[in-house]
Amino acid sequence: MEILGRLFGSSARVKIMRLFLLNPEDAFENKDISKKSNVSAATVRKELAMLSKIGFVGKKSFFKEVPQRSKKSKPRKKRVSGWQLDRSFPMLLSLQTLLVSTEPLRKKEIINKLKRGGNIKLIVVSGIFLQNPDSRVDMLIVGDKLKKSAVQHALRIIESEVGKEISYALLETKEFMYRLNIYDKFIRDILDYPHDKILDKMGI
């Protein structure tokens, strides 16, 4: 991300562009872009103005579900104004090749971001990290005394760098070993297909 940030002027711009490139069918309000990219609202406005000027994104009106005060209330949608990737942008394919194919985070960075999540013994990445949309999950995390809230916080930060929501599985070591030994289909679908063990203290 540091190298791309230097090439494109800022890491914030890279994160915002990746968000649109990896979610080409979706439209986002400014506040959603800020949250998903972990970029300040002011910076989002500045970057969108520039990206809109060059034709990378365009204004998009869409319906968004409004949170209800009561669980019994029927879901309600309202029309909002946001932004969507302009798929006619002339350099779209080149940007996809550069920004999407380039590894957004080094292995060590991912490990460091997750280290407060407990005694982590195994981290397996696939899916979005290997440009493999058919993977069961993007990340498998195994360890002891896992802190779900800390892991989720770390994953939100990683998602802001990657540009897409991460599907993951979080398992205690005992449960993982049990499922591994009985040839659990979910575990085998992760380990028998393209993946990368970025941390392995278990010798899997």
Side-chain angles (χ1 to χ4, degrees), residues 70-107:
S70 171
K71 293 182 180 180
K72 295 181 181 180
S73 302
K74 293 182 179 180
R76 185 171 63 87
K77 293 185 177 182
K78 69 173 182 178
R79 184 180 289 276
V80 297
S81 179
W83 301 89
Q84 187 175 36
L85 177 70
D86 188 337
R87 303 183 82 164
S88 66
F89 185 67
M91 297 180 64
L92 189 60
L93 184 59
S94 298
L95 285 174
Q96 286 175 327
T97 301
L98 179 60
L99 294 181
V100 177
S101 300
T102 303
E103 189 177 67
L105 288 169
R106 296 186 180 90
K107 297 175 183 179

Short mmCIF file of all heavy atoms in Angstrom, two decimals, residues 70-107:
data_model
loop_
_atom_site.label_atom_id
_atom_site.label_comp_id
_atom_site.label_asym_id
_atom_site.label_seq_id
_atom_site.Cartn_x
_atom_site.Cartn_y
_atom_site.Cartn_z
N SER A 70 -37.92 0.07 16.02
CA SER A 70 -38.49 -1.15 16.60
C SER A 70 -38.24 -2.32 15.68
O SER A 70 -38.30 -2.20 14.45
CB SER A 70 -39.99 -0.98 16.82
OG SER A 70 -40.60 -2.19 17.18
N LYS A 71 -37.94 -3.49 16.27
CA LYS A 71 -37.71 -4.69 15.48
C LYS A 71 -38.97 -5.13 14.75
O LYS A 71 -38.92 -5.85 13.75
CB LYS A 71 -37.21 -5.82 16.37
CG LYS A 71 -35.82 -5.59 16.96
CD LYS A 71 -35.37 -6.76 17.79
CE LYS A 71 -33.97 -6.52 18.37
NZ LYS A 71 -33.51 -7.66 19.20
N LYS A 72 -40.13 -4.70 15.27
CA LYS A 72 -41.40 -5.10 14.67
C LYS A 72 -41.74 -4.24 13.46
O LYS A 72 -42.62 -4.59 12.67
CB LYS A 72 -42.51 -5.00 15.71
CG LYS A 72 -42.35 -5.98 16.87
CD LYS A 72 -43.51 -5.85 17.86
CE LYS A 72 -43.34 -6.83 19.02
NZ LYS A 72 -44.45 -6.71 20.01
N SER A 73 -41.10 -3.10 13.35
CA SER A 73 -41.38 -2.21 12.23
C SER A 73 -40.90 -2.80 10.92
O SER A 73 -39.87 -3.48 10.87
CB SER A 73 -40.70 -0.85 12.45
OG SER A 73 -41.13 -0.26 13.65
N LYS A 74 -41.63 -2.55 9.86
CA LYS A 74 -41.24 -3.06 8.55
C LYS A 74 -40.06 -2.25 8.01
O LYS A 74 -39.99 -1.04 8.21
CB LYS A 74 -42.41 -2.96 7.57
CG LYS A 74 -43.57 -3.89 7.92
CD LYS A 74 -44.67 -3.77 6.87
CE LYS A 74 -45.82 -4.71 7.19
NZ LYS A 74 -46.91 -4.60 6.18
N PRO A 75 -39.13 -2.93 7.35
CA PRO A 75 -37.98 -2.23 6.77
C PRO A 75 -38.44 -1.13 5.81
O PRO A 75 -39.40 -1.32 5.05
CB PRO A 75 -37.23 -3.33 6.02
CG PRO A 75 -37.66 -4.59 6.69
CD PRO A 75 -39.08 -4.37 7.10
N ARG A 76 -37.79 0.00 5.86
CA ARG A 76 -38.15 1.12 4.99
C ARG A 76 -36.93 1.57 4.20
O ARG A 76 -35.83 1.55 4.71
CB ARG A 76 -38.69 2.27 5.84
CG ARG A 76 -39.21 3.45 5.05
CD ARG A 76 -39.92 4.43 5.97
NE ARG A 76 -39.02 4.99 6.97
CZ ARG A 76 -38.25 6.08 6.77
NH1 ARG A 76 -38.27 6.69 5.59
NH2 ARG A 76 -37.47 6.54 7.72
N LYS A 77 -37.14 1.94 2.97
CA LYS A 77 -36.03 2.39 2.14
C LYS A 77 -36.25 3.84 1.72
O LYS A 77 -37.37 4.28 1.54
CB LYS A 77 -35.89 1.50 0.90
CG LYS A 77 -35.45 0.08 1.20
CD LYS A 77 -35.21 -0.70 -0.07
CE LYS A 77 -34.70 -2.10 0.24
NZ LYS A 77 -34.41 -2.88 -0.99
N LYS A 78 -35.14 4.54 1.58
CA LYS A 78 -35.22 5.91 1.11
C LYS A 78 -34.22 6.11 -0.03
O LYS A 78 -33.20 5.42 -0.11
CB LYS A 78 -34.93 6.90 2.24
CG LYS A 78 -33.50 6.90 2.73
CD LYS A 78 -33.27 8.03 3.74
CE LYS A 78 -31.82 8.08 4.19
NZ LYS A 78 -31.57 9.20 5.13
N ARG A 79 -34.52 7.06 -0.88
CA ARG A 79 -33.62 7.34 -2.00
C ARG A 79 -32.50 8.27 -1.51
O ARG A 79 -32.75 9.29 -0.88
CB ARG A 79 -34.38 8.00 -3.15
CG ARG A 79 -33.51 8.23 -4.39
CD ARG A 79 -34.32 8.89 -5.49
NE ARG A 79 -35.29 7.98 -6.05
CZ ARG A 79 -35.03 7.11 -7.02
NH1 ARG A 79 -33.78 7.01 -7.51
NH2 ARG A 79 -35.96 6.32 -7.50
N VAL A 80 -31.27 7.89 -1.80
CA VAL A 80 -30.12 8.69 -1.39
C VAL A 80 -29.22 8.92 -2.61
O VAL A 80 -29.34 8.24 -3.63
CB VAL A 80 -29.31 8.01 -0.27
CG1 VAL A 80 -30.14 7.85 0.99
CG2 VAL A 80 -28.77 6.65 -0.74
N SER A 81 -28.32 9.86 -2.48
CA SER A 81 -27.38 10.17 -3.55
C SER A 81 -25.98 9.72 -3.14
O SER A 81 -25.54 9.95 -2.01
CB SER A 81 -27.37 11.67 -3.82
OG SER A 81 -26.45 11.99 -4.85
N GLY A 82 -25.33 9.03 -4.05
CA GLY A 82 -23.99 8.54 -3.75
C GLY A 82 -23.12 8.50 -4.99
O GLY A 82 -23.35 9.24 -5.95
N TRP A 83 -22.15 7.58 -4.96
CA TRP A 83 -21.18 7.47 -6.04
C TRP A 83 -21.03 6.02 -6.48
O TRP A 83 -21.15 5.11 -5.68
CB TRP A 83 -19.82 7.99 -5.59
CG TRP A 83 -19.82 9.41 -5.15
CD1 TRP A 83 -20.06 9.88 -3.88
CD2 TRP A 83 -19.58 10.56 -5.96
NE1 TRP A 83 -19.98 11.25 -3.85
CE2 TRP A 83 -19.69 11.69 -5.11
CE3 TRP A 83 -19.28 10.75 -7.30
CZ2 TRP A 83 -19.50 12.99 -5.58
CZ3 TRP A 83 -19.10 12.04 -7.77
CH2 TRP A 83 -19.20 13.14 -6.92
N GLN A 84 -20.76 5.85 -7.78
CA GLN A 84 -20.55 4.51 -8.32
C GLN A 84 -19.44 4.55 -9.37
O GLN A 84 -19.23 5.58 -10.03
CB GLN A 84 -21.84 3.99 -8.96
CG GLN A 84 -21.76 2.53 -9.40
CD GLN A 84 -23.11 2.03 -9.90
OE1 GLN A 84 -23.86 2.76 -10.53
NE2 GLN A 84 -23.41 0.77 -9.62
N LEU A 85 -18.74 3.45 -9.48
CA LEU A 85 -17.67 3.35 -10.48
C LEU A 85 -18.25 3.55 -11.87
O LEU A 85 -19.29 2.99 -12.22
CB LEU A 85 -17.03 1.96 -10.40
CG LEU A 85 -15.93 1.65 -11.44
CD1 LEU A 85 -14.68 2.47 -11.15
CD2 LEU A 85 -15.60 0.16 -11.43
N ASP A 86 -17.59 4.37 -12.68
CA ASP A 86 -17.98 4.56 -14.07
C ASP A 86 -17.22 3.54 -14.91
O ASP A 86 -16.01 3.67 -15.13
CB ASP A 86 -17.63 5.99 -14.53
CG ASP A 86 -18.20 6.30 -15.92
OD1 ASP A 86 -18.44 5.34 -16.68
OD2 ASP A 86 -18.38 7.48 -16.23
N ARG A 87 -17.91 2.52 -15.35
CA ARG A 87 -17.26 1.40 -16.03
C ARG A 87 -16.81 1.75 -17.45
O ARG A 87 -16.19 0.93 -18.13
CB ARG A 87 -18.19 0.20 -16.03
CG ARG A 87 -18.59 -0.19 -14.61
CD ARG A 87 -19.45 -1.42 -14.54
NE ARG A 87 -18.64 -2.62 -14.61
CZ ARG A 87 -19.08 -3.83 -14.26
NH1 ARG A 87 -20.30 -3.98 -13.82
NH2 ARG A 87 -18.31 -4.88 -14.35
N SER A 88 -17.14 2.96 -17.87
CA SER A 88 -16.66 3.40 -19.20
C SER A 88 -15.34 4.17 -19.08
O SER A 88 -14.80 4.65 -20.08
CB SER A 88 -17.70 4.30 -19.88
OG SER A 88 -17.88 5.52 -19.17
N PHE A 89 -14.81 4.28 -17.87
CA PHE A 89 -13.54 4.98 -17.66
C PHE A 89 -12.46 4.34 -18.53
O PHE A 89 -12.25 3.11 -18.45
CB PHE A 89 -13.16 4.91 -16.18
CG PHE A 89 -11.92 5.70 -15.83
CD1 PHE A 89 -11.91 7.07 -15.90
CD2 PHE A 89 -10.76 5.05 -15.41
CE1 PHE A 89 -10.79 7.81 -15.57
CE2 PHE A 89 -9.63 5.76 -15.08
CZ PHE A 89 -9.64 7.15 -15.16
N PRO A 90 -11.78 5.09 -19.37
CA PRO A 90 -10.86 4.52 -20.37
C PRO A 90 -9.69 3.72 -19.81
O PRO A 90 -9.18 2.82 -20.48
CB PRO A 90 -10.38 5.75 -21.15
CG PRO A 90 -10.64 6.92 -20.25
CD PRO A 90 -11.88 6.56 -19.49
N MET A 91 -9.25 4.02 -18.60
CA MET A 91 -8.10 3.30 -18.04
C MET A 91 -8.51 2.28 -16.99
O MET A 91 -7.70 1.83 -16.19
CB MET A 91 -7.12 4.31 -17.41
CG MET A 91 -6.53 5.30 -18.39
SD MET A 91 -5.40 6.47 -17.59
CE MET A 91 -4.11 5.37 -17.04
N LEU A 92 -9.78 1.87 -17.03
CA LEU A 92 -10.31 0.98 -16.00
C LEU A 92 -9.56 -0.35 -15.92
O LEU A 92 -9.17 -0.80 -14.84
CB LEU A 92 -11.80 0.71 -16.26
CG LEU A 92 -12.55 -0.03 -15.16
CD1 LEU A 92 -12.51 0.74 -13.86
CD2 LEU A 92 -14.00 -0.28 -15.60
N LEU A 93 -9.33 -0.99 -17.05
CA LEU A 93 -8.66 -2.29 -17.06
C LEU A 93 -7.25 -2.19 -16.51
O LEU A 93 -6.80 -3.04 -15.73
CB LEU A 93 -8.63 -2.85 -18.49
CG LEU A 93 -8.04 -4.27 -18.63
CD1 LEU A 93 -8.83 -5.25 -17.78
CD2 LEU A 93 -8.04 -4.69 -20.09
N SER A 94 -6.55 -1.13 -16.87
CA SER A 94 -5.18 -0.94 -16.38
C SER A 94 -5.15 -0.73 -14.87
O SER A 94 -4.30 -1.27 -14.16
CB SER A 94 -4.53 0.27 -17.08
OG SER A 94 -4.45 0.07 -18.47
N LEU A 95 -6.11 0.04 -14.37
CA LEU A 95 -6.18 0.29 -12.93
C LEU A 95 -6.54 -0.98 -12.17
O LEU A 95 -6.02 -1.23 -11.09
CB LEU A 95 -7.20 1.39 -12.64
CG LEU A 95 -6.76 2.82 -12.96
CD1 LEU A 95 -7.91 3.78 -12.77
CD2 LEU A 95 -5.58 3.23 -12.09
N GLN A 96 -7.44 -1.78 -12.74
CA GLN A 96 -7.81 -3.04 -12.10
C GLN A 96 -6.60 -3.96 -11.99
O GLN A 96 -6.37 -4.58 -10.95
CB GLN A 96 -8.92 -3.73 -12.89
CG GLN A 96 -10.28 -3.07 -12.73
CD GLN A 96 -11.33 -3.69 -13.62
OE1 GLN A 96 -11.04 -4.14 -14.74
NE2 GLN A 96 -12.57 -3.73 -13.15
N THR A 97 -5.84 -4.01 -13.05
CA THR A 97 -4.64 -4.86 -13.05
C THR A 97 -3.65 -4.39 -12.00
O THR A 97 -3.07 -5.20 -11.27
CB THR A 97 -3.97 -4.84 -14.44
OG1 THR A 97 -4.90 -5.30 -15.42
CG2 THR A 97 -2.74 -5.73 -14.45
N LEU A 98 -3.47 -3.09 -11.90
CA LEU A 98 -2.48 -2.55 -10.97
C LEU A 98 -2.97 -2.56 -9.52
O LEU A 98 -2.29 -3.06 -8.63
CB LEU A 98 -2.13 -1.12 -11.37
CG LEU A 98 -1.11 -0.39 -10.48
CD1 LEU A 98 0.21 -1.15 -10.47
CD2 LEU A 98 -0.91 1.03 -10.96
N LEU A 99 -4.16 -2.05 -9.28
CA LEU A 99 -4.63 -1.87 -7.90
C LEU A 99 -5.23 -3.13 -7.29
O LEU A 99 -5.10 -3.36 -6.09
CB LEU A 99 -5.65 -0.74 -7.84
CG LEU A 99 -5.13 0.66 -8.16
CD1 LEU A 99 -6.24 1.68 -8.02
CD2 LEU A 99 -3.97 1.03 -7.24
N VAL A 100 -5.90 -3.94 -8.09
CA VAL A 100 -6.55 -5.13 -7.55
C VAL A 100 -5.58 -6.29 -7.44
O VAL A 100 -5.61 -7.06 -6.47
CB VAL A 100 -7.78 -5.52 -8.40
CG1 VAL A 100 -8.40 -6.81 -7.87
CG2 VAL A 100 -8.81 -4.40 -8.39
N SER A 101 -4.70 -6.43 -8.42
CA SER A 101 -3.77 -7.55 -8.41
C SER A 101 -2.61 -7.33 -7.44
O SER A 101 -2.00 -8.28 -6.98
CB SER A 101 -3.21 -7.78 -9.82
OG SER A 101 -4.26 -8.08 -10.72
N THR A 102 -2.31 -6.09 -7.13
CA THR A 102 -1.21 -5.80 -6.22
C THR A 102 -1.62 -6.13 -4.79
O THR A 102 -2.70 -5.77 -4.34
CB THR A 102 -0.81 -4.31 -6.28
OG1 THR A 102 -0.46 -3.99 -7.63
CG2 THR A 102 0.38 -4.03 -5.38
N GLU A 103 -0.76 -6.84 -4.08
CA GLU A 103 -1.04 -7.22 -2.69
C GLU A 103 -1.17 -5.97 -1.83
O GLU A 103 -0.22 -5.20 -1.69
CB GLU A 103 0.10 -8.09 -2.16
CG GLU A 103 -0.17 -8.73 -0.82
CD GLU A 103 0.99 -9.63 -0.41
OE1 GLU A 103 2.08 -9.10 -0.14
OE2 GLU A 103 0.79 -10.85 -0.35
N PRO A 104 -2.37 -5.70 -1.24
CA PRO A 104 -2.57 -4.47 -0.48
C PRO A 104 -1.83 -4.44 0.85
O PRO A 104 -1.48 -3.39 1.36
CB PRO A 104 -4.09 -4.45 -0.26
CG PRO A 104 -4.49 -5.89 -0.29
CD PRO A 104 -3.57 -6.53 -1.30
N LEU A 105 -1.61 -5.62 1.42
CA LEU A 105 -0.94 -5.72 2.72
C LEU A 105 0.08 -6.84 2.70
O LEU A 105 -0.16 -7.92 2.17
CB LEU A 105 -1.97 -6.02 3.83
CG LEU A 105 -2.92 -4.89 4.24
CD1 LEU A 105 -4.01 -5.46 5.12
CD2 LEU A 105 -2.19 -3.79 4.94
N ARG A 106 1.24 -6.58 3.29
CA ARG A 106 2.23 -7.64 3.43
C ARG A 106 1.78 -8.60 4.51
O ARG A 106 1.00 -8.25 5.39
CB ARG A 106 3.59 -7.03 3.77
CG ARG A 106 4.17 -6.13 2.69
CD ARG A 106 5.59 -5.69 3.06
NE ARG A 106 6.17 -4.84 2.04
CZ ARG A 106 6.07 -3.52 2.01
NH1 ARG A 106 5.38 -2.90 2.96
NH2 ARG A 106 6.64 -2.82 1.05
N LYS A 107 2.31 -9.82 4.45
CA LYS A 107 1.93 -10.84 5.43
C LYS A 107 2.19 -10.38 6.86
O LYS A 107 1.36 -10.56 7.75
CB LYS A 107 2.71 -12.14 5.16
CG LYS A 107 2.40 -12.76 3.81
CD LYS A 107 3.28 -13.97 3.55
CE LYS A 107 3.02 -14.55 2.17
NZ LYS A 107 3.88 -15.72 1.89
#
